[in-house]
Amino acid sequence: MLSESTIASLKSNMRGGVIEQRDASYDTARKVYNAMIDRRPRLIARCSDVADVIAAVNFGRENNLVVSVRGGGHNFAGLGICDDGLVIDLSRMNYVRVDPKKRTILAGGGAVLGDIDHAAHAFGLAVPAGILSTTGVAGLTLGGGIGHLTRQCGLTIDNLLSVDVVLADGRFVTANAKDNPDLFWAVRGGGGNFGVVTSFLFKAHPIHTDYAEPMLWPMEGADQPSLRMS
Ligand SMILES: Cc1cc2nc3c(=O)[nH]c(=O)nc-3n(C[C@H](O)[C@H](O)[C@H](O)COP(=O)(O)OP(=O)(O)OC[C@H]3O[C@@H](n4cnc5c(N)ncnc54)[C@H](O)[C@@H]3O)c2cc1C
């Protein structure tokens, strides 16, 4: 059981706010992409910056809560949301910063693919990622990341240069080829098991427009792979 004063202590440490079950925004905040997932967390910590993430991680650990981390909320099994525990919701940390000279893109841990595409397209740049604009950068990248540009540019994790992570003990670390290389290896495919990633630094590619569309054959031509559509 969490007392009112314990919850108040989290609220006082969080800029982005904390949503409880009695709040009007609760049902909207617990929704994820897969509408079959109907989990009821005890608290949803809406993080607005790294300090909020540290406060939420420490609170979850000190109060022995089940914790889930939500990026884009697209995971089909609903791994970003839990029953009765604490959701660390990064959806407000969706900033993107493009460095056109270095051809790098920095994205917050709650950005979705459309946030990166919108920001990068203005500079004629792209990061290889997934096919839908609403998928979270975090869950997709931590799982590998495949999409239309994969064959030309590699997986999303092949283009990951560095991450900032809040670890389970509340420490903030940067992981890349030089700093904490073992953690950097782990986050490239290991999913959300190694800490809360607060930002991702990617290598971008000079790609302005990507044409992709499904190819549809009429049923009577289904056995003719070389059929040309007019
Ligand atoms: C319709 C649809 C289309 C898809 N298309 C593609 C595609 O084209 N290419 C592809 O590679 N994948 C695709 N996926 C799979 C998608 O990449 C995964 O479901 C991914 O987990 C979604 O990430 P998210 O941040 O939106 O999800 P969430 O549900 O928010 O989180 C997913 C997992 O990542 C963890 N996590 C989220 N944010 C963080 C963070 N900041 N730090 C640490 N852990 C975190 C969560 O705890 C959870 O375990 C698709 C999925 C769907 C449903």
Side-chain angles (χ1 to χ4, degrees), residues 64 82 205 207 215 229:
N64 208 18
C82 60
H205 295 259
I207 293 169
M215 299 211 276
M229 301 292 290

Side-chain angles (χ1 to χ4, degrees), residues 33 69-76 79-80 90 109 130-132 135-136 138-140 142 145-146 192 195-197:
Y33 179 82
V69 185
R70 182 197 166 115
H74 234 248
N75 182 271
F76 214 70
L79 295 180
L90 278 84
I131 55 174
L132 289 191
T135 305
L140 177 132
L142 297 171
I146 56 169
V196 184
V197 181

Side-chain angles (χ1 to χ4, degrees), residues 72-96:
H74 234 248
N75 182 271
F76 214 70
L79 295 180
I81 197 121
C82 60
D83 269 327
D84 301 322
L86 170 70
V87 174
I88 300 179
D89 180 349
L90 278 84
S91 56
R92 287 191 175 159
M93 293 173 60
N94 64 345
Y95 58 84
V96 177

